[in-house]
Amino acid sequence: MRKLTTALLCMAALLPASWANAQVITKEQQQKVEKKALGGGKGTVDAAFAFTRDKAKPDQAIKELSWLTIKPGDSIGYHKHKDNEDAYIIVSGTGTFKDTDGNDYPVKAGDITIVRKGESHGLTNSGKEPLVIVDVIAAQQ
């Protein structure tokens, strides 16, 4: 519960101040979506979006914010970020993160991964429990 509360506080702190009444986006308000073969990956990723890219204003750096749950053996495929940056905050579970050079790194709760514009990455749930992450996608002006 402590990890979940910390992650929620982090998400709330990242929201643009210019969004009226958007200081907290409750679990019930988040848009739930099943993403099949996300980024060319294996399986289905369960997503809960605070907001999606089409809702972000051009002058707002954070373009998308979501919870992602990856089942054991499933993955977010190795893909390139052409126009934005992406950070994964690992909330629970364990996985393998592939960086832009193709190197694999074990990740666990409390770890953060970042890819910059023009870089590639992927994430696989290599554990036995669901891998839960907060995904923050940002773009420069």
Side-chain angles (χ1 to χ4, degrees):
M1 186 64 169
R2 185 171 156 202
K3 290 177 188 174
L4 178 62
T5 302
T6 301
L8 285 172
L9 289 172
C10 289
M11 285 176 64
L14 292 170
L15 293 173
S18 61
W19 284 20
N21 302 320
Q23 296 304 311
V24 174
I25 299 171
T26 66
K27 184 176 183 177
E28 294 75 25
Q29 292 171 316
Q30 295 166 25
Q31 178 184 357
K32 279 56 167 195
V33 179
E34 288 184 347
K35 295 283 198 172
K36 294 182 190 269
L38 185 60
K42 177 184 172 193
T44 301
V45 174
D46 295 323
F49 290 94
F51 56 90
T52 53
R53 293 174 221 200
D54 60 323
K55 304 290 188 230
K57 296 177 184 175
D59 64 337
Q60 294 171 330
I62 299 172
K63 301 300 182 188
E64 193 166 275
L65 184 59
S66 62
W67 289 96
L68 301 179
T69 302
I70 307 166
K71 296 173 188 79
D74 288 353
S75 65
I76 298 172
Y78 190 71
H79 61 283
K80 187 171 187 169
H81 280 264
K82 187 173 127 186
D83 298 318
N84 55 38
E85 299 183 348
D86 197 359
Y88 295 156
I89 302 165
I90 312 300
V91 177
S92 64
T94 58
T96 303
F97 175 78
K98 185 178 289 294
D99 72 7
T100 198
D101 296 323
N103 299 312
D104 289 333
Y105 296 92
V107 293
K108 63 187 179 327
D111 292 346
I112 299 172
T113 70
I114 300 171
V115 308
R116 305 294 182 184
K117 182 177 175 180
E119 295 181 344
S120 300
H121 70 148
L123 181 64
T124 300
N125 181 339
S126 54
K128 295 181 181 179
E129 303 292 327
L131 175 60
V132 178
I133 67 171
V134 174
D135 186 18
V136 182
I137 296 178
Q140 301 165 343
Q141 290 278 9

